[in-house]
Amino acid sequence: MNDTDVLNHLFDKQVICPVCNSHFKAKTVKSKSPRVISKDSDFFIRYSVVNPYFYDVLVCNSCGYAAMRSDFDNIKTFKKDLVLSNVTPKWKPREYPDILDEKLAIERYKLALLNALLLNLPDSTKAMISLKIAWIHRLLNNTDQEKIFLGQALEGFNNAYIYEVFPIYGLQRDSLMYLLGELNRKSGNYPEALQWFSRTIVSVNSSYKVKELARIGRDLIKDENL
């Protein structure tokens, strides 16, 4: 697909930075543009035409504040000073092209992750950013980096499961139980994976679809360890 075709699936959205009140435009994927090719076992969606994951982080070029779109406006007032005193002095304004690729998307997610760490945002936020970084490394076939960020996502979601209120980024309890099983499986932690899959399967609150995913994950571990 050429650049003109990609641009046809994007539009400019006006954004106001909640930290420094700067106004800027952010390329946004039209709602009807993404076309799903397939879904991976850890909920990663593969798209044709244009990839909405690439455009999910908003970056303020004035102060350096960065976050996923769903979190961008949610920064607490007392945390804005943390950005202005810790991020902004080191921030070098960066003009991104209209069309983003995997490497630029990873760069932007890492900016969001740095902000999340600085602001001590919930474990689920840091976990979701890490998971998306892992997914994009998967597109680049960079398995080493994918495993590192899958591990970070696993640690964060473990804590989120214990301490945070559901739903978590659209995941109900059964979906997160399954995801913890799958992330453990991908990390080679088979006993832990089997425990999470079993909890998902026996839970009366798990949907049929999620139970089936857990059974597939459980069977994969058994097949791999025959």
Side-chain angles (χ1 to χ4, degrees):
M1 177 175 292
N2 61 42
D3 288 357
T4 303
D5 288 337
V6 174
L7 287 171
N8 286 336
H9 294 283
L10 304 173
F11 69 96
D12 285 326
K13 183 175 182 179
Q14 291 288 342
V15 179
I16 301 173
C17 176
V19 173
C20 69
N21 294 316
S22 293
H23 292 235
F24 62 95
K25 293 179 181 178
K27 287 295 180 189
T28 305
V29 179
K30 294 177 181 177
S31 59
K32 295 182 179 179
S33 289
R35 294 178 187 171
V36 177
I37 300 173
S38 61
K39 296 181 182 179
D40 288 7
S41 58
D42 57 359
F43 302 142
F44 174 46
I45 302 172
R46 296 178 183 268
Y47 294 98
S48 64
V49 185
V50 62
N51 193 328
Y53 291 126
F54 293 0
Y55 301 88
D56 189 38
V57 172
L58 297 175
V59 179
C60 175
N61 212 18
S62 296
C63 69
Y65 172 59
M68 293 187 295
R69 287 176 186 268
S70 60
D71 298 321
F72 192 75
D73 291 327
N74 296 337
I75 183 170
K76 291 182 170 60
T77 302
F78 71 92
K79 291 192 173 183
K80 295 177 183 180
D81 286 340
L82 284 172
V83 177
L84 294 172
S85 58
N86 292 277
V87 176
T88 307
K90 303 170 188 173
W91 175 248
K92 295 178 181 177
R94 166 82 193 274
E95 291 295 336
Y96 285 93
D98 290 341
I99 298 173
L100 301 175
D101 59 14
E102 289 88 351
K103 291 182 179 178
L104 291 173
I106 288 170
E107 179 183 308
R108 291 166 69 90
Y109 276 112
K110 285 184 176 179
L111 285 172
L113 186 56
L114 285 171
N115 273 267
L117 290 166
L118 169 70
L119 299 173
N120 195 27
L121 295 184
D123 286 307
S124 59
T125 300
K126 291 174 277 192
M128 183 56 74
I129 296 170
S130 296
L131 183 59
K132 290 186 176 183
I133 294 173
W135 288 344
I136 298 175
H137 277 300
R138 188 178 302 167
L139 290 174
L140 295 171
N141 296 314
N142 190 336
T143 53
D144 290 341
Q145 286 295 308
E146 179 189 344
K147 285 183 178 178
I148 288 171
F149 284 98
L150 283 179
Q152 290 184 19
L154 173 57
E155 182 180 353
F157 281 130
N158 258 320
N159 292 333
Y161 181 85
I162 298 168
Y163 298 111
E164 295 184 31
V165 177
F166 288 88
I168 293 172
Y169 285 99
L171 298 172
Q172 297 295 342
R173 187 176 295 273
D174 62 336
S175 296
L176 187 53
M177 280 196 295
Y178 161 74
L179 181 60
L180 286 166
E182 185 59 17
L183 293 178
N184 271 296
R185 186 188 73 80
K186 284 181 170 292
S187 300
N189 307 325
Y190 295 140
E192 292 88 347
L194 289 171
Q195 286 178 1
W196 282 109
F197 287 147
S198 295
R199 289 174 70 176
T200 307
I201 292 166
V202 301
S203 172
V204 294
N205 295 317
S206 293
S207 69
Y208 174 80
K209 182 178 179 181
V210 171
K211 286 185 179 186
E212 282 300 299
L213 290 172
R215 290 189 182 100
I216 291 169
R218 179 194 62 187
D219 292 345
L220 282 172
I221 292 174
K222 291 179 179 178
D223 291 343
E224 290 168 3
N225 290 277
L226 284 176

